[in-house]
Structure formats: structure tokens, C-alpha cells
Amino acid sequence: AEDGSTDGTKELLRELQPKYNFKLVIGTERKGYNKAVKDVLSLAQGTYVFMADSGGSHEMNDFFRMFEQVNSYSVVSGFKKERKDPLHRILLSRVYNLYVSLLFKHRFYDIDCGFKIYNKEILHRVLPEVKTLTECISTEIMLRLYNQGYSIKEVPIIHYKRNLEGPAKTFSVKRIPKLVGRLFLDTMALKKELSTQSKINRKSQ
């Protein structure tokens, strides 16, 4: 999933596409990480959907350890036990995961990790509902799956320092105040929505 980049990514992907025969979703304008990920996940057709952020920060062989769990869980998610990120991102992640765990009463260690294997059928049941969080789409997918009773497994994975030029912009230092405020409001809204949904489901049973 390519999201309106201007650094030569489009051209490189077009060169690679005939050789590796992958489906390429290219945007002419930036639509944001959430929309780009949601669009490409909705196109998946296999039994399982493997999602991996680009940037070279994941050990791809960890996929095979995670795949051993797919018959037992609806989603198998990576858990970056030793993050190779800047200090502010490590602290933000720890606080965020603790906050979400307390809010939704389930211990999440790395809920927004961009290294996951989903059961496609189950993923596509909740994906149309994913629209509340303006950031961190993986968080919303995980919380909706958890709220509907689907099983989740977090597996420790190796994490490397980002090998692309420049830092990731989504969680840059200058964006943190705005990001934290947005995530707080969005997660509270999602909590209210899912609580209401659960009450309706209990009454209809």
C-alpha cells in the first residue's frame, strides 16, 4: 500500500511489480496511514492476512514463529519486547499500552504493533466498522476483535532500529502533544461505542 509519496517509492514499486507479481495500491494524494492500511487490508483474499510495516524494523523470520499460532487465535500480533526506537517513542508506547489496557480491562503489551497475522474472514467482519481512531488503526482493529470475543495472542518479536533515512513522522516529538490529545479523545469515544454495542448484544441474546 503506497500512500501518495514523492520520494521515488512509486517508481521503485512499479519496477518491482512485474518481477514479483504483487498487487500494488498507489495513491495520487496522501490519504493517511489509517486509510491506506484499511484499503489494502480490505483487498486481501487469502485465508490469512499478514501485515508488516515497511522500514526494515522487523525481523521477517519471526513471521514463521507467529504463524504456528494461527490455528489457535483470531489474530497473532507481534510484541516488540526490546524496542530499538528513540526514548520518547519507547516511553509513549509504554504509557499508551498501559492506558489502553486499563481502559479496556485487558493487558496489551504492544497493541499497535505493525506486524500481525489476521484470520481474513474475521478481519473482514470488523474492518468496515473501523473508523473511530484517527491514528493507530491496528489498535482499533484489535479492540474491536477483543470486544467481539475473538482470541488474541501477542508473540515477542525482534525489533531493529529504523533503517530508512529520517525518523518516522507519525510519532515525531513535535506531534506528541496533539497526538496524545487525539488518541485520548478517540479511545474514549471507542470505549463508549463498544460498551454500548456490548449492552445491545447482551439484551438481544
Side-chain angles (χ1 to χ4, degrees):
E2 189 282 330
D3 182 26
S5 62
T6 56
D7 61 356
T9 299
K10 286 190 185 73
E11 292 73 19
L12 179 59
L13 289 173
R14 286 193 177 109
E15 289 179 18
L16 293 173
Q17 188 178 17
K19 181 178 180 180
Y20 294 103
N21 191 33
F22 57 82
K23 187 174 184 63
L24 177 59
V25 181
I26 285 186
T28 56
E29 298 179 357
R30 295 306 293 261
K31 53 186 172 182
Y33 179 85
N34 273 24
K35 185 68 164 59
V37 170
K38 184 177 180 180
D39 286 352
V40 79
L41 288 179
S42 68
L43 296 173
Q45 298 178 0
T47 304
Y48 301 102
V49 182
F50 172 49
M51 171 184 166
D53 283 342
S54 61
S57 60
H58 295 116
E59 170 54 60
M60 298 307 293
N61 285 319
D62 282 335
F63 164 83
F64 299 102
R65 290 193 304 105
M66 291 171 59
F67 192 72
E68 294 173 357
Q69 307 279 350
V70 296
N71 290 326
S72 303
Y73 300 92
S74 303
V75 54
V76 182
S77 179
F79 161 33
K80 299 185 288 291
K81 195 170 183 179
E82 296 183 12
R83 297 180 68 109
K84 305 299 182 182
D85 282 327
L87 181 59
H88 75 276
R89 289 200 62 175
I90 294 174
L91 293 175
L92 181 62
S93 174
R94 288 179 179 175
V95 173
Y96 177 62
N97 281 285
L98 180 60
Y99 163 68
V100 172
S101 297
L102 292 172
L103 186 62
F104 289 88
K105 299 179 181 179
H106 178 82
R107 186 62 172 106
F108 293 101
Y109 295 94
D110 196 0
I111 190 170
D112 206 57
C113 180
F115 199 80
K116 288 179 167 62
I117 305 175
Y118 298 100
N119 177 297
K120 187 214 63 176
E121 182 180 347
I122 292 172
L123 172 65
H124 283 190
R125 289 176 193 166
V126 303
L127 206 54
E129 303 171 5
V130 175
K131 57 185 183 302
T132 304
L133 299 191
T134 53
E135 306 279 358
C136 303
I137 185 173
S138 292
T139 294
E140 182 168 355
I141 293 173
M142 288 274 276
L143 291 174
R144 288 186 180 278
L145 289 171
Y146 171 70
N147 188 66
Q148 294 185 27
Y150 293 113
S151 56
I152 294 169
K153 176 69 173 179
E154 290 188 88
V155 176
I157 60 172
I158 297 171
H159 188 241
Y160 299 118
K161 184 178 179 181
R162 179 180 168 87
N163 65 14
L164 297 180
E165 292 184 8
K169 295 180 180 179
T170 302
F171 297 99
S172 61
V173 175
K174 68 179 182 180
R175 284 202 67 210
I176 287 180
K178 182 178 180 181
L179 180 65
V180 169
R182 186 73 264 170
L183 283 173
F184 175 76
L185 293 174
D186 287 350
T187 50
M188 291 299 292
L190 182 60
K191 172 66 175 178
K192 182 178 180 180
E193 177 189 340
L194 296 182
S195 296
T196 301
Q197 189 179 87
S198 296
K199 290 178 182 178
I200 292 173
N201 291 339
R202 285 196 295 269
K203 288 181 179 180
S204 63
Q205 292 177 353

